[in-house]
Amino acid sequence: MIWVSNGGKLILDDGAVLKNNKNNANGIACGGAVYAEGENTRVNMNGGEIRSCRAVWGGGIFLRDASLTMNGGTISDNTASDYLDTSTDSTSSTEKETKDEKDQLGTGGGVCIAYNAVMNMSGGTVSGNTARRGGGVSAGVDQSAVLKDTEDNHRAFTMSGGTISDNTAAKEGSYNLNVTGGGIYVACRNVAEITAGTISGNRVNNAMGYAGGGIYVNGGAAAVEDENGKLYSNGVLKTQNVYFSGNRDGGNGAAIAVCPTSRLKLYYDGNVVIDPAGNDIPDLYIQYTTDGRHQAQKDENGVPYVGYYLSSIMQDGSPYNWTEKAGRSFETDTNAKLTKEALQLEAHPSADAVNRNKATCKVFITGNLVDENGGGIAANGDLEFGSTTTPPTPTPTPTPTPSPTYRHVTVQKTWTLDDGKTRSDSIQVQLMKNGVAYGSPVTLNDANSWTFTWNNLENDGSQWTVNEVLVPQGFTESQKTTEESDGLKVVINNDDQPTKPNKPTNPTKPNKPTNPKTPNKPTNPKTPGKTNKTVNPKTPSKTNTTVTPKTPMIHRAATHNTSVAPASSVPRTSDATRLGTMLIMFGGAAAALAAVLALKRKDKE
């Protein structure tokens, strides 16, 4: 649709739409929407769309020595076909195509980067595209008569942002060719460097061997020369701060799978975070074989080996907890050499470690799928995660000045013996921290002078006290606590108590007294001589009489203005007193009556 060359510049902004174009020019068919060539030729995509276009190389954009800067916009639903449409050409495709050309058909569904071209992606989206190699982006083309002059270690693709998602690597024609790189394909002699961005939901259909649902890095052709007699070198992927999650494959390396020609360097500062696939599915697969084209390299003694470096810890120091599925031991934190069998490794980091390190990740390789090896990344080439083999020496954390507190507690036992008791041979004391027993009880006796000191206590501001385990019988306990420098001194005194008198027994409880019966009502005596009878006087002149005792008793008569009665009629002392009182009262009453009568007579007169 658009040809840009010889230092030309194409700028696509919001609103620009390139769509529904099919390129079959002379059987070359490069760039379904845009073909750009030349060192100084540039394509800047800030917005807009390139969609539903088709070619053999670069379904959306083909770059030959030119550069593409993608800051925004969308490249979607384009296809790089793996067969040539000859409907307008009388020459058959089999006559036109060389072996190398066939091997490179269908490269770069969204973008194909060829020769010494470069693509710098910092934003935008490459999605829903299809190709046999590199459903989304192909960073280089390996070998063909047309595309042969790529430099060694050419940095073809850099990614610092944006998204490559839901692209598919699939075979369209009938050729027996490999299908690789659902999201990104990195060719021999080319380097891809990813520092940020998302590669998710890409897949590879009908894969054979190593395919790479998210990314495939090619290599293994070091023994093959191009037409100029130059050996091909492994493609290289450099990245770090990578989070792997939810990638799936046919059972070998859900996150990463590498073949014997690959060199894996997973360093400490690569900050690779693997959220485990689980269900006994290997997260990392390293193959060893001496058969076939992709064979292990050889050391100076001709011994085949697969070289790898595998960190045992993530960037924050949390362990991967690698385990080998077959139970065979393996090496970490060293330039190891695998010389037999294959490694199927599972990562078992804690969930907290995964979340903590994920927060520092900038590259997300998630949810990619492949039929065979390498759900996230597969490689015959080289993978480099970071560059530092050993963790940096941590900067010492300054020790904060502790708040004032106690670092030792001394206990001393004293006795006060002033009431006749004898002290015990020993006692036990218990140190308490914030009210809870700290350590075991300590025995105090003459051997340690009844003193003990707990040293090197926690400098955490806790409250320290000392309890006597059991106070001896007959003693009372008292404590005195004093501060001394950075500690406490606790003096526990036991004072003997005086012996208490025996507690009296309860006396016999007296019988409950009975109420006396009501006395009989006295009767008037008929004669003065009867006992216990009181004669009620009918006239003031008469007196009560009492029973005269058989033997007369002589009493001295009370002093009254009356005469002394004969001895035979003298009453007892109490009766005589009563009788005298009554006579006085009777005399007073008679005098008062006489005075009243005299006044009445006077009134009448």
Side-chain angles (χ1 to χ4, degrees), residues 31-49:
V34 176
Y35 179 96
E37 67 172 352
E39 292 184 9
N40 297 318
T41 300
R42 291 175 291 169
V43 178
N44 290 352
M45 190 169 184
N46 304 315
E49 299 178 58

Side-chain angles (χ1 to χ4, degrees), residues 477-547:
E477 177 198 344
S478 62
Q479 289 194 11
K480 181 180 179 181
T481 301
T482 57
E483 297 182 3
E484 48 179 31
S485 63
D486 63 343
L488 291 176
K489 182 175 183 180
V490 181
V491 178
I492 302 177
N493 184 67
N494 281 355
D495 188 358
D496 61 340
Q497 298 172 311
T499 303
K500 294 182 179 180
N502 294 332
K503 188 175 181 180
T505 58
N506 292 331
T508 304
K509 189 174 182 180
N511 296 330
K512 185 176 181 180
T514 57
N515 294 329
K517 295 181 179 180
T518 303
N520 296 328
K521 186 176 181 179
T523 57
N524 293 329
K526 294 181 178 180
T527 60
K530 292 187 179 180
T531 61
N532 296 332
K533 300 292 184 177
T534 301
V535 178
N536 292 330
K538 294 182 179 180
T539 60
S541 58
K542 294 184 179 181
T543 59
N544 293 333
T545 59
T546 58
V547 178

Side-chain angles (χ1 to χ4, degrees), residues 410-444:
T410 298
V411 62
Q412 181 181 2
K413 182 67 177 179
T414 61
W415 300 87
T416 300
L417 306 174
D418 55 2
D419 286 299
K421 296 292 192 307
T422 302
R423 73 181 184 188
S424 302
D425 292 334
S426 65
I427 58 104
Q428 285 192 320
V429 290
Q430 174 67 61
L431 181 63
M432 308 293 287
K433 179 181 180 180
N434 297 326
V436 179
Y438 184 88
S440 301
V442 173
T443 300
L444 302 182

Side-chain angles (χ1 to χ4, degrees), residues 391-404:
T393 303
T395 302
T397 302
T399 304
T401 302
S403 57

